[in-house]
Amino acid sequence: MNRIKLLILSLCFFHFSFPVDHSFHPDFGLEWCYFVGHIESKSGNHYGYELSFFRLKFSDDKDWNPEIFPVHFAISDFSSKKYKNSQTIKRTIGDLAGYSEKTIYSGDYHLEIISKDKFHIKAQSKSKDLSLDLELEGNGKILVHGDKGVSIKSNRNPNIFSYYYSYPRLKTTGNLFMNGKRETILSGNSWMDHEWNEKNSKSLPTLATGETGWDWICLSDSLGGDYVFFRFRESHIVTPEVFGTYRNPEGKTTYWKEPGQVKMETIGSFWKSPNTKIEYPLHWKIKYPGGEWIVSPLFNEQEFDGTKTTSTIYWEGGVEAFDPIQKKSSKGYLELKGYKKPKEWWEF
């Protein structure tokens, strides 16, 4: 039986099992579990945050090499338009990182899996000037993407896929520390995303190497609906492919995968990072069946330079959106990966 048939057969029998699948999966080489959210403090300030746990394990077609565990952490102060981040990368040596059915940790960054619907996340920067300690509780409604959790990223190349689910609308409380001030978080909503793929990093095309890039956004609207849109670029020379997931307030999920069903278009000028000189499209129009979202960042300076840990630089930050057709608003997070620094004039 060839490799493609084995892949199709394995996908047919796949299903999620919670809370076990909230943790990492040792049989796969590439995985990330991350949280983003819009939260409000007792003082009335509004914040956003990102806490991303990665797991990387590479195969040489015969054996697995040791695992590494990068973490990316950022807080956006929407009230003052300030942004700070930190990162780490650890291995299991000396018990500096690891995971079980109940926890994922790397250095001073921890995810405690209390149950299917409850989580506790803690993050502490090395410099001690940025920290987060949050309790998250869901409503039991996990959002599964694709065909029973198998999310194809390219119709042209269905070997590029991930096992993918989200957990929107996690009620959030706790505290954070930023810019010399500790804040008590009284309310807010967090969004969990979890993906994994690559049983053998040399046998199938990978989601996150080479020239791949993507534009990803999650939105929770004011009427109770949840959206994910994903614009995948296998390389800079092919036309991007766009996919979408929508769960309505009544709980019905629709997956848009056919070409043209969803369109993600950049609008306005790009923002150029003063740090990396990379230009990002921060304003978008997303057309989907029955409506469209006009997306804008809450402020521009939310770029994450992860070259020290994952060799990636990307923009990830809080956004707001308005649908002029359905007359509703939403909040969410936007991630832009694969935008390269332009060459200087003397490099051509």
Side-chain angles (χ1 to χ4, degrees):
M1 187 177 294
N2 63 36
R3 204 180 295 274
I4 299 299
K5 289 182 178 179
L6 284 171
L7 171 65
I8 295 172
L9 186 62
S10 67
L11 298 185
C12 291
F13 289 99
F14 175 78
H15 69 277
F16 290 118
S17 177
F18 299 109
V20 174
D21 276 327
H22 286 325
S23 189
F24 281 155
H25 301 78
D27 292 335
F28 293 81
L30 174 64
E31 185 163 14
W32 56 89
C33 176
Y34 61 92
F35 298 82
V36 293
H38 288 248
I39 52 182
E40 184 175 356
S41 71
K42 185 178 180 180
S43 65
N45 289 328
H46 293 262
Y47 295 89
Y49 77 92
E50 169 204 354
L51 181 58
S52 303
F53 296 88
F54 301 92
R55 176 182 156 275
L56 303 172
K57 186 168 70 167
F58 301 99
S59 168
D60 61 3
D61 289 332
K62 295 180 181 179
D63 300 305
W64 286 111
N65 293 320
E67 297 167 300
I68 58 174
F69 301 89
V71 176
H72 291 177
F73 170 45
I75 295 179
S76 300
D77 185 339
F78 297 141
S79 300
S80 65
K81 297 185 178 180
K82 293 181 180 179
Y83 172 83
K84 296 188 72 173
N85 63 48
S86 69
Q87 58 191 299
T88 193
I89 183 168
K90 303 293 184 183
R91 291 172 56 179
T92 55
I93 297 173
D95 198 32
L96 295 177
Y99 58 98
S100 67
E101 289 188 5
K102 297 293 186 180
T103 187
I104 295 171
Y105 64 97
S106 182
D108 292 323
Y109 303 86
H110 296 258
L111 162 60
E112 181 185 0
I113 303 164
I114 299 172
S115 68
K116 169 181 170 288
D117 304 309
K118 290 184 179 182
F119 309 92
H120 181 197
I121 56 175
K122 296 179 68 175
Q124 175 72 67
S125 67
K126 186 177 181 180
S127 60
K128 308 297 183 183
D129 62 351
L130 189 70
S131 69
L132 192 74
D133 189 334
L134 298 176
E135 300 282 348
L136 313 176
E137 183 171 358
N139 56 12
K141 299 178 181 178
I142 292 174
L143 176 58
V144 174
H145 300 280
D147 183 6
K148 298 178 181 179
V150 179
S151 175
I152 302 298
K153 308 304 183 185
S154 170
N155 287 320
R156 288 189 293 262
N157 190 347
N159 287 327
I160 302 178
F161 73 97
S162 69
Y163 302 103
Y164 181 20
Y165 71 89
S166 301
Y167 206 147
R169 300 180 186 270
L170 294 163
K171 293 182 179 179
T172 306
T173 57
N175 64 79
L176 63 82
F177 184 82
M178 182 183 184
N179 296 325
K181 181 172 61 176
R182 185 167 299 279
E183 291 268 46
T184 299
I185 302 303
L186 295 182
S187 64
N189 281 312
S190 294
W191 182 296
M192 174 191 187
D193 244 37
H194 193 173
E195 296 188 67
W196 62 93
N197 69 352
E198 306 301 343
K199 277 205 168 183
N200 186 319
S201 62
K202 288 192 175 183
S203 65
L204 294 172
T206 182
L207 176 60
T209 61
E211 296 184 342
T212 61
W214 58 74
D215 310 302
W216 171 92
I217 188 170
C218 66
L219 295 170
S220 292
D221 72 31
S222 53
L223 303 180
D226 298 307
Y227 299 78
V228 172
F229 299 104
F230 188 83
R231 183 175 181 258
F232 180 69
R233 307 183 303 279
E234 189 172 351
S235 76
H236 68 280
I237 61 173
V238 300
T239 303
E241 298 179 82
V242 184
F243 303 84
T245 304
Y246 168 54
R247 183 172 63 193
N248 70 15
E250 290 72 41
K252 180 182 178 181
T253 300
T254 301
Y255 181 48
W256 297 306
K257 63 179 181 179
E258 300 302 325
Q261 280 186 302
V262 177
K263 295 181 180 179
M264 288 185 67
E265 304 168 347
T266 63
I267 55 178
S269 60
F270 283 35
W271 172 73
K272 185 175 182 178
S273 166
N275 299 317
T276 65
K277 312 306 179 186
I278 297 174
E279 295 184 346
Y280 297 95
L282 302 185
H283 298 264
W284 293 82
K285 178 186 288 186
I286 303 174
K287 296 182 179 180
Y288 63 95
E292 69 179 31
W293 289 112
I294 306 300
V295 180
S296 300
L298 288 166
F299 66 100
N300 294 341
E301 292 79 7
Q302 299 180 81
E303 180 190 46
F304 200 108
D305 185 346
T307 52
K308 294 181 180 179
T309 52
T310 60
S311 300
T312 56
I313 303 174
Y314 59 96
W315 192 96
E316 181 150 6
V319 297
E320 56 188 2
F322 178 71
D323 186 332
I325 297 175
Q326 297 194 17
K327 307 297 182 184
K328 59 185 179 182
S329 61
S330 65
K331 294 180 180 179
Y333 254 70
L334 171 69
E335 179 180 276
L336 307 171
K337 175 192 174 291
Y339 292 86
K340 296 182 179 180
K341 174 184 175 182
K343 292 184 178 180
E344 302 292 349
W345 63 270
W346 60 82
E347 295 181 292
F348 287 99

